[in-house]
Amino acid sequence: MHIVISLTLAGLFVFLAGFNVWNMLTSRGASARSSRLWTQVHRVAGYAFIALFGILCYSMLLRVKGWSDELSPRLILHMGLALSVAPLVFVKVIVARYQKAARSLLTALGIGIFAVAFTLVALNLVVYCLRVASTEKVPSETSATFVVAVLICAAIAFFIKGKQPKPKSETEILSLNKPDGQELINRGEPLNLTLARVEPQTHDAKTLRFLLPRGQLLGARPGQFLTFEWMIGGKSVPRSYSICSSPTQGSFIEITPKRVESGYVSQFLNDGANVGLTVKARGPYGQFCFDESKHRRIVLIAGGSGITPMMAMLRYIDDLCIPVHSTLIYCARSEQDVFFKSEFVALQTRMPRFHYVPVLSQPGADWPGWKGRLRCEILELEIEKPLESTFFLCGPSAFMELGRALLKDMAVEPARILQESFGGAVAGGKHSTPSTGLLKAKFARSAVAYNISPDETLLESSERNGVLIPSGCRQGSCGTCATKLLSGNVQMEQTEALNDELRSQGYILPCVSRPLSDITLDA
Ligand SMILES: Cc1cc2nc3c(=O)[nH]c(=O)nc-3n(C[C@H](O)[C@H](O)[C@H](O)COP(=O)(O)OP(=O)(O)OC[C@H]3O[C@@H](n4cnc5c(N)ncnc54)[C@H](O)[C@@H]3O)c2cc1C
Ligand code: FES
């Protein structure tokens, strides 16, 4: 083969091996879309590398073909190295394609292939350069072609990498996940969902998969929830459910309602929800979200059905291979009450930074793990670097109170604890009845005004007077009803669902607010 072609192919061979290592080390975790794109680029570069490897091996065989002398040690070393590339490439392809659990090996294999490819080419190049330096001048077109080829390859790589936008926020990351031609749904817009799959989760819970209308995508963050308007017995009944599917799956959402004793909606969803059921939903809502730009180490403490938002977080972390350290402490009654059991086992094998700690209060006799209630001993032994971690707490009210008290004992800053309440009595909620007589409530957008008793919540009175304020939990924990107070004062029992930004903009939660003066609301 002509020396110029040979050098160009060899340069490209090393470049492709190096490029794929670089790609693996730098392009993970931005967004599902860019991750997919870089996987494709990686694959194409890999196949080009294999094709070049075949061409170079063939030209090497042509050179030694019919060689009657004994092969030189350098040639034997060269051939040995060349032969070692084949099994390395083979193992890498098998791991990438079929052994997802062992994909942490890919970078090491890639570096190994790059090192061997570089040595193979460098060995010949150095000898060639030394030889021509001692005997003749290197032909100018040879060195120029080689240098130009390397420069072009480097320029292409930098150009492609430079084109990749750096996501600044999670909203941006989610919009990057949006395939072309699909509309990203905004918070508050009603969604028309269709039930497409019903799967038993435990003896008292089912996972329901709802499809969004064709061409629409939900830009939820991991941990958020939707507020559904279930039509039961001809009446619309609002209830919120956390999304447990990964937000990278924008075209469907999954929820897992657990049957609550004499619960109106949860019983309907577990017994009467069939494929084809349609429902209107609003959202996504909630501040109980994992944010990879802020959270480097997270501890998820879940009680019972409180696991659902955490499942979305773990699936999201797994889908995007986000290098966050995560510990899940999951408290349930018995083995039969554990949601997503087999998935946690699979996640443990796939995610090297994930630590799963089930705690059962009434386990079977042969249960090898933690038994009893959540306690300090478990947190101290199972959580690495608690003071550097962000905690997510979700479960029954008493469980969350206990969790907060234990974390306080461990000196965890309150700002590092995020929590989501699913219902029941909310800790800390208090209502002292104001003593004034009837007050005036105005609703600016609906152009409605009426007299309101200070005993009544703004949500109750607005519903009675025909003003629509979307609602979910009706106890100040979901944020669905957040509405701007344009004038006047209210007493709010709960503020946990409002973040600082909404609070500073004057938002209140009508479901837990009672008027202290005449008021005007932006509703
Ligand atoms: C943000 C948010 C996310 C939620 N996500 C989920 C989820 O992923 N999975 C899930 O199963 N539920 C979830 N819930 C709770 C859900 O909205 C309902 O409250 C629950 O399904 C009970 O509704 P129901 O109509 O069956 O009960 P209701 O008829 O409203 O109440 C019946 C009885 O059950 C009690 N009760 C109400 N809610 C609960 C509860 N959560 N736990 C125990 N007792 C209760 C009531 O005090 C009452 O005595 C979430 C709630 C919120 C606010
Ligand atoms: S309805 Fe949930 S905060 Fe008001």
Side-chain angles (χ1 to χ4, degrees):
M1 200 186 288
H2 188 279
I3 186 65
V4 175
I5 300 175
S6 180
L7 275 177
T8 308
L9 291 184
L12 199 57
F13 182 65
V14 177
F15 167 77
L16 288 173
F19 174 78
N20 267 359
V21 172
W22 180 34
N23 188 358
M24 276 190 286
L25 293 176
T26 59
S27 64
R28 301 280 157 204
S31 72
R33 194 180 171 197
S34 75
S35 194
R36 271 198 301 273
L37 174 73
W38 282 105
T39 306
Q40 288 302 332
V41 173
H42 184 103
R43 201 166 286 160
V44 171
Y47 288 138
F49 177 85
I50 294 172
L52 270 178
F53 178 60
I55 295 171
L56 292 173
C57 280
Y58 180 67
S59 86
M60 186 174 72
L61 287 177
L62 284 185
R63 264 197 289 154
V64 295
K65 188 175 152 206
W67 202 328
S68 51
D69 293 345
E70 205 173 296
L71 296 180
S72 69
R74 184 174 68 80
L75 205 54
I76 293 173
L77 175 67
H78 192 80
M79 290 175 78
L81 278 174
L83 286 177
S84 70
V85 172
L88 284 174
V89 170
F90 178 72
V91 173
K92 190 165 176 245
V93 171
I94 295 292
V95 169
R97 292 248 136 190
Y98 308 109
Q99 295 295 322
K100 296 234 155 72
R103 64 185 169 193
S104 52
L105 281 178
L106 287 177
T107 310
L109 283 166
I111 292 171
I113 292 170
F114 172 61
V116 177
F118 180 83
T119 315
L120 266 173
V121 172
L123 209 67
N124 268 5
L125 193 66
V126 169
V127 172
Y128 170 76
C129 289
L130 288 175
R131 197 183 305 139
V132 288
S134 63
T135 55
E136 54 186 288
K137 273 182 82 179
V138 179
S140 57
E141 80 271 19
T142 304
S143 36
T145 311
F146 185 70
V147 170
V148 167
V150 170
L151 285 179
I152 289 176
C153 290
I156 292 171
F158 275 108
F159 177 73
I160 298 171
K161 279 280 173 189
K163 281 262 172 200
Q164 187 185 16
K166 257 204 160 30
K168 294 184 189 76
S169 65
E170 279 175 70
T171 321
E172 204 172 343
I173 288 171
L174 290 162
S175 60
L176 282 173
N177 291 340
K178 174 180 88 70
D180 294 339
Q182 294 206 299
E183 186 197 341
L184 201 65
I185 303 295
N186 287 321
R187 178 188 190 273
E189 280 177 35
L191 301 164
N192 293 309
L193 303 175
T194 308
L195 182 56
R197 188 189 287 176
V198 180
E199 238 179 279
Q201 189 57 246
T202 60
H203 60 100
D204 62 356
K206 280 186 179 158
T207 294
L208 311 180
R209 175 177 290 192
F210 289 91
L211 300 183
L212 270 82
R214 206 171 263 280
Q216 287 191 350
L217 279 180
L218 187 69
R221 291 188 288 153
Q224 286 193 304
F225 63 90
L226 292 178
T227 297
F228 298 80
E229 285 162 34
W230 305 106
M231 289 303 294
I232 307 174
K235 274 174 84 181
S236 163
V237 192
R239 289 287 183 279
S240 302
Y241 288 95
S242 294
I243 302 168
C244 60
S245 47
S246 168
T248 58
Q249 307 287 352
S251 57
F252 70 82
I253 60 111
E254 286 179 351
I255 59 169
T256 303
K258 179 181 160 139
R259 185 193 295 272
V260 164
E261 210 183 305
S262 54
Y264 192 52
V265 172
S266 60
Q267 300 228 347
F268 163 75
L269 293 178
N270 274 278
D271 301 333
N274 296 317
V275 169
L277 173 87
T278 55
V279 61
K280 268 198 182 351
R282 285 177 190 272
Y285 299 114
Q287 309 300 321
F288 185 74
C289 304
F290 165 69
D291 178 348
E292 63 267 47
S293 66
K294 289 191 205 144
H295 306 140
R296 294 275 161 265
R297 200 171 265 285
I298 57 171
V299 180
L300 312 172
I301 305 181
S305 58
I307 189 67
T308 50
M310 315 208 174
M311 193 65 236
M313 296 179 197
L314 291 170
R315 285 172 168 165
Y316 178 78
I317 291 169
D318 179 41
D319 283 353
L320 297 186
C321 305
I322 298 171
V324 63
H325 291 266
S326 50
T327 299
L328 169 64
I329 300 180
Y330 182 13
C331 302
R333 191 178 298 135
S334 69
E335 286 96 324
Q336 288 71 44
D337 296 288
V338 174
F339 288 18
F340 316 110
K341 210 184 308 180
S342 54
E343 202 168 336
F344 292 134
V345 176
L347 284 181
Q348 263 188 310
T349 352
R350 267 207 308 272
M351 290 168 39
R353 296 182 179 88
F354 173 55
H355 179 44
Y356 173 47
V357 186
V359 181
L360 301 182
S361 58
Q362 294 167 25
D366 53 352
W367 172 246
W370 289 103
K371 294 175 190 151
R373 278 179 9 130
L374 183 68
R375 54 192 183 276
C376 226
E377 182 197 4
I378 302 178
L379 300 185
E380 280 172 0
L381 286 174
E382 300 288 0
I383 302 172
E384 214 187 305
K385 303 190 181 168
L387 300 185
E388 291 172 24
S389 304
T390 303
F391 289 81
F392 292 82
L393 207 53
C394 185
S397 305
F399 173 83
M400 294 213 289
E401 256 177 63
L402 171 68
R404 265 198 314 271
L406 294 174
L407 294 177
K408 194 173 165 207
D409 289 347
M410 290 170 73
V412 174
E413 286 172 55
R416 285 190 176 271
I417 308 172
L418 302 176
Q419 63 182 70
E420 185 84 290
S421 166
F422 276 6
V426 176
K430 47 189 174 301
H431 159 54
S432 57
T433 311
S435 53
T436 33
L438 284 183
L439 297 165
K440 208 161 206 81
K442 272 196 215 155
F443 291 80
R445 277 199 243 173
S446 323
V448 171
Y450 55 80
N451 289 330
I452 177 173
S453 152
D455 284 340
E456 208 173 7
T457 67
L458 297 177
L459 184 65
E460 285 160 358
S461 70
S462 69
E463 283 173 348
R464 227 176 2 85
N465 288 280
V467 179
L468 176 78
I469 298 178
S471 63
C473 63
R474 306 177 76 89
Q475 57 176 35
S477 47
C478 74
T480 310
C481 64
T483 307
K484 202 166 185 172
L485 179 67
L486 299 175
S487 69
N489 290 311
V490 297
Q491 181 192 47
M492 225 186 324
E493 291 162 32
Q494 278 293 326
T495 55
E496 67 180 41
L498 291 176
N499 62 19
D500 292 345
E501 196 186 338
L502 288 177
R503 241 173 272 177
S504 69
Q505 288 172 7
Y507 278 83
I508 59 158
L509 300 171
C511 66
V512 285
S513 297
R514 291 174 170 83
L516 292 173
S517 66
D518 292 346
I519 54 149
T520 309
L521 283 177
D522 188 17

